[in-house]
Amino acid sequence: MSDPICAAVVLNYNGHHLLQENLSSVVSAAQKVEGGCDVIVLDNLSTDGSVEFLKEHYPGVIVEVAPRNRILFSYNDLCQRIRHKYVVLLNNDIRLRDDSLSVLLSHCDAPDVFAVSAVLLDAEGTEITRSRTLGELHRGLFRTTFLQATEVGPTLDAGGGCAVFDREKLVALGGFDEIYWPFYWEDTDLSYVAWKRGFRVLIEPRSIMYHRHAATIQQTPQTQAVCIRNAHLFFWKNITDPVLIAKHIVWLAFLIPWRAVQGNRPYLRGVWTAFRKLPQALKRRREMKPLWTRTDAEVWALIRGNGPSAPRSQAGAPIKREPADAGSLSR
């Protein structure tokens, strides 16, 4: 019997209650995958009995215990070790429909497809919380705009907790960049790098998953500062368009003194810590730039379905806009 083509990897840390609530849906969805799909729980050294629960109640689930808690960056090590063609990266607070995985995988045969993302609803299934994403410049920073997806098409990024990835491509791109440690913007960065390398990222609206938002990360001034820091690092690492860079510099020169007058400590702390990582971001940029096959304008246009032309507005019904300092699912 051949090895399963796919692995559904659920990241967990002290999420015993979330595994009780959601893991059975992952197992059911994996059983529907043609070609086979292993279910793996990647545990970041939980202390709440998660591993013992899995061994007792889910003997068919593979349990991988990380040597240390590297949050979602533990995915990187595991993806290098396993040999499945595709890997679905899931949060432990995600619940799946039975067909969620099979419809995602139906688009993965195309050689230029890097990832395919599901549509996220809230835990009650009453509101779309994540669908198709586009990019735009807002106050000198990159931010994402969500549109309701009605058909398969391009999207800016594949959510780090609700998408299938071509495992070999993911490993070749280096996985999630630890410059964004401990969280936020890492999944947007990975997909954007894939777009600039010549790959595509798709959204599949038939794949529905349910997400209990912020079940694992609470919003605090400290996490806000991390978001702001990583938004700047994303721009410095990835954006090379001269016009966008000029606008970024102008806005930065205005916002820093203005936020200081306002006493906005999370913003000031975020920018300060970003500047401390600026050399690291520029080093990453120099390393990747020779491998890029698309400009920012070409990427933005392709994501909007307009071909290789300058970024312009996209018609569609907006769901919501992420602030300039956010860009990732909570974990």
Side-chain angles (χ1 to χ4, degrees):
M1 184 176 179
S2 60
D3 293 333
I5 193 172
C6 179
V9 182
V10 179
L11 187 66
N12 180 69
Y13 174 69
N14 284 349
H16 180 280
H17 63 294
L18 295 172
L19 294 174
Q20 284 182 309
E21 181 179 345
N22 301 313
L23 187 59
S24 62
S25 70
V26 179
V27 173
S28 295
Q31 292 171 347
K32 302 291 184 180
V33 172
E34 185 177 351
C37 180
D38 285 329
V39 177
I40 302 173
V41 173
L42 176 57
D43 189 81
N44 273 328
L45 299 179
S46 294
T47 59
D48 68 343
S50 289
V51 172
E52 292 76 14
F53 165 77
L54 291 167
K55 290 180 178 178
E56 179 178 355
H57 295 280
Y58 289 94
V61 169
I62 301 168
V63 180
E64 291 277 353
V65 179
R68 57 192 179 97
N69 185 352
R70 299 176 60 231
I71 316 179
L72 92 161
F73 300 99
S74 294
Y75 282 137
N76 292 347
D77 295 334
L78 180 66
C79 288
Q80 288 179 352
R81 289 191 287 108
I82 63 177
R83 290 295 175 261
H84 302 78
K85 185 173 179 59
Y86 306 112
V87 58
V88 184
L89 303 184
L90 298 167
N91 287 349
N92 58 7
D93 54 0
I94 297 284
R95 188 173 81 255
L96 277 60
R97 288 185 179 177
D98 280 356
D99 63 349
S100 294
L101 301 183
S102 57
V103 294
L104 286 181
L105 287 160
S106 66
H107 303 286
C108 292
D109 287 340
D112 65 338
V113 169
F114 172 68
V116 186
S117 182
V119 169
L120 283 184
L121 304 183
D122 60 12
E124 292 73 31
T126 58
E127 180 183 355
I128 298 174
T129 60
R130 183 184 181 94
S131 187
R132 185 183 176 201
T133 55
L134 306 179
E136 66 179 14
L137 197 70
H138 176 73
R139 295 183 178 179
L141 283 177
F142 190 87
R143 76 169 178 182
T144 55
T145 302
F146 290 174
L147 299 178
Q148 184 171 345
T150 57
E151 59 185 17
V152 178
T155 187
L156 167 66
D157 60 355
C162 62
V164 60
F165 296 81
D166 184 301
R167 188 192 62 81
E168 289 187 359
K169 292 184 180 71
L170 186 152
V171 171
L173 294 182
F176 297 107
D177 192 338
E178 293 195 38
I179 195 174
Y180 299 104
W181 176 274
F183 39 67
Y184 294 137
W185 280 94
E186 69 291 323
D187 47 2
T188 301
D189 173 86
L190 179 59
S191 291
Y192 198 78
V193 169
W195 275 108
K196 295 197 84 167
R197 285 283 297 269
F199 300 123
R200 288 186 297 149
V201 180
L202 304 176
I203 182 79
E204 170 50 272
R206 293 180 301 160
S207 180
I208 302 294
M209 301 183 185
Y210 304 89
H211 181 221
R212 190 172 299 283
H213 188 66
T216 51
I217 291 178
Q218 302 303 316
Q219 296 300 308
T220 67
Q222 289 73 28
T223 58
Q224 291 173 20
V226 172
C227 285
I228 293 165
R229 180 198 70 186
N230 287 352
H232 287 78
L233 291 176
F234 174 92
F235 196 100
W236 298 340
K237 177 187 170 186
N238 294 303
I239 304 300
T240 55
D241 185 283
V243 174
L244 299 180
I245 292 173
K247 291 181 179 179
H248 170 74
I249 293 171
V250 170
W251 272 104
L252 199 60
F254 167 75
L255 284 174
I256 291 176
W258 177 243
R259 298 303 189 200
V261 170
Q262 291 180 316
N264 189 327
R265 292 185 178 182
Y267 176 86
L268 297 173
R269 181 179 179 184
V271 173
W272 169 247
T273 53
F275 273 116
R276 293 177 63 182
K277 283 195 168 187
L278 176 59
Q280 189 177 350
L282 295 180
K283 180 175 183 291
R284 295 275 208 283
R285 179 196 190 99
R286 290 192 299 270
E287 292 170 347
M288 296 188 306
K289 192 172 181 179
L291 303 174
W292 290 339
T293 63
R294 293 175 178 144
T295 66
D296 294 306
E298 290 170 338
V299 169
W300 289 24
L302 286 168
I303 292 168
R304 294 170 187 272
N306 298 330
S309 58
R312 56 182 184 262
S313 62
Q314 166 74 27
I319 297 172
K320 66 178 183 179
R321 294 179 186 270
E322 284 291 337
D325 57 359
S328 166
L329 294 176
S330 62
R331 294 181 176 82

